[in-house]
Amino acid sequence: MTNASAGPRLLGPADVRQLAARLDLRPTKQRGQNFVIDPNTVRRIVRESGITGDDVVIEVGPGLGSLTLALLEVARRVVAVEVDPLLAELLPETIADYAPDQASRFEVVLADALRITEVPGPAPTALVANLPYNVSVPVLLHMMALLPSLERGLVMVQSEVADRLAATPGSKVYGIPSIKASWYADVRRAGAIGRNVFWPAPNVDSGLVAWTRREPPATTATREQVFGVVDTAFAQRRKTLRSTLKSLVDGSGERAEAALVAAGVDPQARGETLVLDDFVRITEALLETSSGATA
């Protein structure tokens, strides 16, 4: 695999440490930097993602390029969003060294993924990333909202976060991430990743989350209004919906109850028992009960 006409060479432990040494890089917890040092793991992520030679892939937090190189083995194009200027500057050079034949299909964007407003080139069709653990859920939701062209994705996140994203109603870990992600996609757990494939090894386990885009619910309410109701419902998780949602209708428990009944939801239920469509109906009923109450 070393001749110029072959696919990319993937990074092993020695390559990762060598690239880090060039930058005098000390991986920081603040940015959730844990670099994958196992080629089998990045190939598995690419395989599980289901991407093909037709896909334009967006990757968030490429780091030193371990997953990027594996994506370039398969994808038509890869756009990597990197917030660290040192890493972003080194990445094109790494791609040129390890994947010379694929380098023209790669682009790096120096930006904060939470604040990015557009992606250069053809519309991305898939998101595949080892997401920084401290911002994984907001980054995923931002990308899903920003890029309706995304058809599917696979992200590696902290194991507990993977559980939350893929949780179903009634589960202890079901909550805001589960419901908001379901606005955009069908989400499922897609496996676990051991700690020893990273450098430095994190002190938490990792999990894969796969998702497939689906149409958002048909509703007269906006996404922001529905998400506002979800946030409020889970602000005091142990309280009933009648109690938590009254703040949206001038503190009136009676009006909150009337909206819940109109939406076909038990006022004594808790948020953790409801699916997205329930929250959509509740939002519509609250809007009818009190104009602009949830905006």
Side-chain angles (χ1 to χ4, degrees):
M1 245 206 195
T2 54
N3 65 58
S5 62
R9 289 184 295 126
L10 302 186
L11 302 181
D15 302 296
V16 169
R17 287 187 173 88
Q18 184 182 356
L19 289 167
R22 277 188 57 187
L23 296 176
D24 195 23
L25 180 68
R26 309 272 189 279
T28 69
K29 266 191 182 174
Q30 182 192 353
R31 285 193 171 150
Q33 289 175 332
N34 299 94
F35 302 112
V36 180
I37 56 174
D38 176 45
N40 289 330
T41 297
V42 290
R43 279 210 177 98
R44 175 187 163 198
I45 290 170
V46 172
R47 188 172 63 246
E48 293 277 356
S49 74
I51 64 166
T52 70
D54 295 327
D55 278 304
V56 176
V57 178
I58 185 160
E59 181 189 7
V60 174
L64 293 167
S66 302
L67 178 57
T68 318
L69 288 162
L71 289 168
L72 284 167
E73 274 190 322
V74 178
R76 173 161 69 100
R77 172 176 157 87
V78 177
V79 179
V81 180
E82 176 56 64
V83 70
D84 186 315
L86 287 175
L87 290 169
E89 190 177 352
L90 180 63
L91 203 51
E93 192 180 323
T94 303
I95 301 304
D97 287 346
Y98 285 80
D101 289 359
Q102 290 78 25
S104 63
R105 300 196 268 108
F106 169 75
E107 184 169 353
V108 64
V109 177
L110 174 61
D112 181 342
L114 278 172
R115 291 178 172 79
I116 199 166
T117 55
E118 59 181 358
V119 175
T125 56
L127 167 68
V128 186
N130 171 20
L131 290 177
Y133 285 174
N134 50 348
V135 291
S136 54
V137 170
V139 165
L140 178 61
L141 294 175
H142 178 60
M143 286 295 166
M144 286 172 154
L146 178 68
L147 301 169
S149 59
L150 292 173
E151 296 161 10
R152 61 193 171 284
L154 184 81
V155 293
M156 179 159 54
V157 294
Q158 190 171 326
S159 188
E160 290 83 353
V161 173
D163 289 339
R164 285 203 290 274
L165 283 165
T168 51
S171 154
K172 281 184 182 175
V173 294
Y174 179 76
I176 292 171
S178 333
I179 297 165
K180 289 185 177 179
S182 73
W183 177 277
Y184 306 100
D186 294 316
V187 183
R188 63 180 175 84
R189 274 296 298 253
I193 300 286
R195 302 180 186 194
N196 61 346
V197 303
F198 296 97
W199 173 77
N203 56 7
V204 294
D205 294 319
S206 302
L208 297 176
V209 173
W211 55 271
T212 308
R213 171 78 68 174
R214 67 181 179 84
E215 285 299 308
T219 174
T220 54
T222 66
R223 182 183 70 223
E224 290 77 14
Q225 287 169 334
V226 176
F227 282 11
V229 172
V230 172
D231 288 336
T232 305
F234 282 90
Q236 295 167 293
R237 193 181 176 102
R238 303 233 168 270
K239 292 196 172 182
T240 66
L241 290 166
R242 183 189 191 276
S243 176
T244 58
L245 297 183
K246 67 183 182 182
S247 65
L248 299 178
V249 279
D250 302 322
S252 168
E254 290 76 18
R255 288 166 70 188
E257 180 165 337
L260 287 160
V261 170
V265 174
D266 179 357
Q268 299 304 311
R270 293 187 175 93
E272 63 203 36
T273 63
L274 305 187
V275 296
L276 174 64
D277 286 342
D278 296 323
F279 282 105
V280 167
R281 293 197 313 276
I282 292 168
T283 305
E284 291 171 346
L286 285 167
L287 286 167
E288 283 181 30
T289 302
S290 175
S291 64
T294 60

